[in-house]
Amino acid sequence: MTPETLEVNARSYRWMSRPVVVVCVDGCEPAYLDAAIAAGVAPCIERMRKTGADLLADCVVPSFTNPNNLSIVTGAPPAVHGICGNYFFDRELGQEVMMNDPKYLRAGTVLAAFADAGASLAVVTAKDKLRKLLGHRMKGICFSSEKADQATIEENGIDGVVEMVGMPVPSVYSAELSEFVFAAGVKLMESRRPDLMYLSTTDYVQHKAAPGSPAANAFYAMMDGYLAQLDALGATIVLTADHGMNDKHDADGAPKVIYLQDVLDDWYGKDQARVILPITDPYVVHHGALGSFATVYAPDEARVPGWIERIQRLPGMELVLSRKDAAARFELPPDRIGDIVVVSEQSTVIGTSASRHDLSALEVPLRSHGGVSEQRVPLICNRPVTGIAASRRLRNFDALDLALNHAQ
């Protein structure tokens, strides 16, 4: 007998009455949806916004992929689940590491809890870097587009994925990597009809194409077609994003970068400070590991106030906070961020040293994310929702709450 509700990370969720699909569209600035609808290429999304729920929410800062996807599937901020970037300095190991190992998770997911209670689950993500985190301790189907041809029953709960979807495994740097996610979601809903499904895309297109551009509209037209199919199959759909996206360049198209490691080396001596860029992951061609959020490790606590005051005066800086203040403001685990948290303004990114960033692969002017300026994201549902207080600050990690507790 299935329970009426489940409690996960101090939040209660009702058992689904119909299949639920939560979609995290990587890098989906709300303007992308506005432009696609205005161009007439997204009729399903337009209908969702008109007849369902059309809301805006705040994502987690740093506005990067891993912390936000994990917030969505745990229904909680990084202070609870522990994933506060794609990359961080592990003080215990004394080295910089990728935060894509489930050992860094400090909370269970809503997905795993429903699977344990008897629900059928499916997770499809574009990049494999997220798969093990999203599927941690979850019984069910969990695979990535990137390695769809390697899926096995033992590891992923499914095999023959490429044959099922009818698409070849796409390049990591392509719109098709995200299309594979949607196509797989539709095939799974047709053939397996999971109770709960989570689909997560990649922001390759959004890093290259601004809202309303032909490439962006083509991407959202593609997505809209698959959403229409999921809607026709009777699913409750909630769509949100892990973060927005903004131009990070000057009028001539040159990236606007503060190379903070170079600055601090010049001020205080080489390697007195350690600058960590949490955007860093294995896929840096489209952003050069440049985002609008960084953490700084100082030699000792006594120097931190003076460093904050001086960094704050750098042109292009929006916020410079102590570890304590940043952890409180952005709901981050204090032991996994630096002594100082640095956020640049909307059109500026932060790097380490100029020599460490290869921007030769940037084919178009830089677009990126990470700061407060990319915090506003869509939160829309294909069904009306009730019981949402007008004063409530909505977050992207309210997506499952919206789908399970408020959608009609």
Side-chain angles (χ1 to χ4, degrees):
M1 185 174 175
T2 57
E4 289 185 10
T5 61
L6 286 181
E7 185 163 312
V8 188
N9 299 323
R11 301 183 78 169
S12 183
Y13 298 93
R14 289 198 311 231
W15 198 266
M16 62 288 295
S17 57
R18 60 174 71 87
V20 166
V21 181
V22 172
V23 181
C24 177
V25 184
D26 200 338
C28 186
E29 184 73 17
Y32 282 108
L33 302 184
D34 297 338
I37 289 168
V41 299
C44 180
I45 294 171
E46 182 176 23
R47 187 171 66 252
M48 287 173 68
R49 290 173 66 171
K50 282 183 176 176
T51 64
D54 181 16
L55 304 166
L56 289 170
D58 287 336
C59 77
V60 164
V61 174
S63 47
F64 295 136
T65 296
N66 286 17
N68 277 282
N69 271 271
L70 271 297
S71 290
I72 294 168
V73 300
T74 59
V80 173
H81 62 71
I83 306 298
C84 56
N86 304 339
Y87 187 77
F88 84 122
F89 179 65
D90 189 324
R91 289 177 187 262
E92 291 181 13
L93 293 177
Q95 62 188 44
E96 301 171 21
V97 295
M98 292 293 300
M99 206 185 292
N100 55 4
D101 191 311
K103 72 181 181 182
Y104 294 116
L105 261 176
R106 291 173 169 169
T109 70
V110 180
L111 310 178
F114 270 94
D116 283 344
S120 57
L121 269 288
V123 173
V124 187
T125 180
K127 294 176 182 175
D128 207 61
K129 70 173 184 178
L130 261 178
R131 176 182 60 83
K132 287 187 178 180
L133 287 169
L134 295 176
H136 185 49
R137 295 182 177 169
M138 188 200 87
K139 302 170 196 162
I141 293 168
C142 183
F143 63 89
S144 68
S145 301
E146 180 185 0
K147 297 190 176 177
D149 57 339
Q150 300 173 34
T152 64
I153 297 290
E154 296 74 25
E155 177 75 14
N156 309 95
I158 190 172
D159 58 10
V161 169
V162 172
E163 293 76 16
M164 175 189 77
V165 175
M167 284 177 65
V169 175
S171 163
V172 167
Y173 298 112
S174 71
E176 287 75 24
L177 196 74
S178 293
E179 180 172 3
F180 196 103
V181 172
F182 289 114
V186 169
K187 292 292 187 182
L188 288 168
M189 188 57 68
E190 289 173 340
S191 61
R192 313 254 182 147
R193 202 164 177 81
D195 297 313
L196 180 56
M197 183 155 62
Y198 184 72
L199 305 177
S200 179
T201 72
T202 174
D203 57 2
Y204 173 76
V205 169
Q206 291 84 351
H207 270 288
K208 296 170 75 69
S213 64
N217 281 349
F219 179 86
Y220 284 91
M222 172 276 291
M223 185 174 85
D224 192 81
Y226 290 108
L227 293 174
Q229 293 180 67
L230 290 168
D231 181 61
L233 288 165
T236 293
I237 304 167
V238 170
L239 181 150
T240 190
D242 54 352
H243 54 76
M245 189 74 69
N246 276 303
D247 289 338
K248 305 289 184 179
H249 56 82
D250 62 22
D252 296 326
K256 291 178 68 175
V257 189
I258 300 167
Y259 289 110
L260 190 56
Q261 187 71 59
D262 287 342
V263 171
L264 296 176
D265 285 355
D266 182 55
W267 287 350
Y268 302 115
K270 187 167 174 56
D271 298 329
Q272 285 292 299
R274 180 192 292 267
V275 177
I276 297 290
L277 306 179
I279 193 174
T280 307
D281 68 10
Y283 317 90
V284 298
V285 166
H286 48 300
H287 55 64
L290 294 170
S292 292
F293 183 102
T295 67
V296 179
Y297 291 80
D300 58 72
E301 291 283 343
R303 302 194 204 184
V304 167
W307 284 27
I308 288 175
E309 187 178 336
R310 197 170 181 187
I311 294 168
Q312 183 71 71
R313 293 198 293 268
L314 287 170
M317 283 300 178
E318 181 167 346
L319 289 170
V320 184
L321 303 170
S322 68
R323 180 197 293 116
K324 181 181 177 182
D325 290 346
R329 177 165 181 160
F330 298 131
E331 300 170 282
L332 301 173
D335 61 321
R336 290 185 173 172
I337 57 177
D339 302 301
I340 302 168
V341 164
V342 179
V343 182
S344 56
E345 54 82 33
Q346 180 174 320
S347 64
T348 303
V349 287
I350 302 164
T352 53
S353 301
S355 61
R356 292 175 60 185
H357 292 269
D358 180 7
L359 306 185
S360 61
L362 288 178
E363 302 165 352
V364 294
L366 180 66
R367 291 173 55 75
S368 195
H369 52 94
V372 176
S373 49
E374 289 79 43
Q375 193 172 22
R376 214 70 171 137
V377 294
L379 183 64
I380 67 175
C381 183
N382 65 335
R383 303 182 189 281
V385 300
T386 58
I388 302 287
S391 60
R392 176 175 168 180
R393 182 197 182 193
L394 289 168
R395 311 298 300 275
N396 61 349
F397 58 81
D398 292 326
L400 282 159
D401 176 52
L402 206 71
L404 294 166
N405 297 333
H406 298 283
Q408 300 303 295

